[in-house]
Amino acid sequence: SAVPGVSVGIVLPDGRVISAVAGVADRGTKMPLTSDALLLAGSTGKTFFAALALQLIDAGQLDLDAPISKYLGDKPWFLRLPNASTVTVRHLMTHTSGLVRYEMNPKFTADLRAQPDKVWTPEEEVAYLFDAAPPFAAGQGWDYSDTNYIVLGMIMERITGTKAYDEITRRFLTPLKLVGVVPQVSRRIPGLAPGYAGPNDPLGLPDEMMQGGQLAVNPQFEWAGGGFATSPVDLARWGHTLYASASGPITAKMRARMIDAAVPARLGPQVTYGLGVIVRPATPVGRTWGHSGFFPGYQTELVHAVDRGITLAIQINTSAPRSTGNRSLLRVAYDLIALVGA
């Protein structure tokens, strides 16, 4: 297979945790991948920022249906955002705002490559959209975009007066002892396995994403669009807490709100998108809630099989297209859930 290494974490209905790992962390040295190695988890990190938003909504500090102008309208650049006056918090969280992806903008990717050490501010990132025509009116279409969660992150930091990463650490990572979930805030992340982007990376980054322990660019730019390096075991433990735990930081009421908000999403037949969650009604393992993740050099799937009570996270250290052959990483995840749930 073209996959250098694969790592899996599974939480069973009774809370038992299984881990499995195969292949190499480093193609050059042939160093094996280990189950505690960290991998960049891409957009699965949105689940942490969405969970923070759910807690703020539950506490009455964030209004899901308020226009975002309520929180950011005094910013001098605010009206330059597409659909500025009509976007709500719900539109951000469900990707229905019309705010397209800054992260795939050719000017941004060129600037990212030209300044690999740069620490990006959210304002600098959303500026790539200023004065652009939106593809649809707010609430009238669906377009997956990290920009939505960057803006959400800015709103939450204004509400709490603290860094979103610090809130997530205090509320979730520390109490749940998720030592294998680390904010990606610099080019050097201790314990991170090298990743391989393959040819023709969409951000124009090299195949070998790590040289001498340093990533090709500062992954900090992803922030609320994803923003974490994870071990699959701790990512699965987080997913199980988020989607299945009766006693975790997410109450049944908050979970229902997260799922019930789901709108049609262009991610496959019948697939919908809730508050930071991909909802699939009919898969080989029944209903699933979860999220996919891409970061150059890495791919992740977080899947909770609702009817089986099993949560699985699978991560590989390549983002090359078709690296898993003719089966998607999601399909591999289903096969593994079926195997352990048999």
Side-chain angles (χ1 to χ4, degrees), residues 254-307:
M254 289 152 77
R255 187 175 297 130
R257 180 176 273 148
M258 172 173 69
I259 302 300
D260 292 346
V263 298
R266 295 202 307 273
L267 296 170
Q270 296 181 285
V271 179
T272 57
Y273 195 98
L275 304 181
V277 59
I278 298 171
V279 178
R280 292 184 165 94
T283 77
V285 293
R287 292 183 296 155
T288 66
W289 302 337
H291 216 290
S292 305
F294 159 87
F295 193 93
Y298 306 87
Q299 286 180 68
T300 303
E301 289 289 350
L302 173 62
V303 181
H304 174 65
V306 183
D307 306 309

Side-chain angles (χ1 to χ4, degrees), residues 11-14 240 244 304-311:
V11 183
L12 298 172
D14 61 7
H240 205 71
H304 174 65
V306 183
D307 306 309
R308 299 180 186 221
I310 296 169
T311 310

Side-chain angles (χ1 to χ4, degrees), residues 96-258:
T96 54
S97 67
L99 295 175
V100 299
R101 302 172 84 143
Y102 83 89
E103 73 276 14
M104 294 297 180
N105 181 305
K107 182 157 179 14
F108 169 74
T109 56
D111 292 344
L112 176 70
R113 294 191 302 270
Q115 306 169 79
D117 288 305
K118 180 175 167 63
V119 175
W120 293 82
T121 67
E123 288 85 355
E124 287 170 333
E125 294 176 340
V126 300
Y128 286 89
L129 277 72
F130 285 169
D131 309 317
F136 51 81
Q140 299 302 306
W142 191 85
D143 189 52
Y144 186 85
S145 162
D146 281 7
T147 310
N148 289 304
Y149 277 71
I150 298 292
V151 176
L152 177 68
M154 295 163 82
I155 289 171
M156 295 194 295
E157 290 195 339
R158 276 208 116 167
I159 288 170
T160 62
T162 54
K163 295 287 182 204
Y165 274 142
D166 292 347
E167 288 294 319
I168 288 167
T169 299
R170 180 176 71 79
R171 294 170 186 244
F172 308 132
L173 306 186
T174 301
L176 295 169
K177 299 184 173 61
L178 298 174
V179 293
V181 178
V182 178
Q184 57 187 53
V185 292
S186 84
R187 291 177 72 183
R188 289 184 182 273
I189 300 172
L192 183 71
Y196 300 88
N200 309 315
D201 174 70
L203 276 68
L205 296 175
D207 174 35
E208 288 194 29
M209 275 296 292
M210 191 188 286
Q211 302 261 2
Q214 178 169 275
L215 288 162
V217 293
N218 188 351
Q220 168 274 340
F221 76 88
E222 193 185 31
W223 190 48
F228 290 91
T230 61
S231 73
V233 162
D234 276 355
L235 184 58
R237 287 179 56 224
W238 162 249
H240 205 71
T241 297
L242 183 63
Y243 301 128
S245 173
S247 59
I250 303 301
T251 63
K253 179 179 143 199
M254 289 152 77
R255 187 175 297 130
R257 180 176 273 148
M258 172 173 69

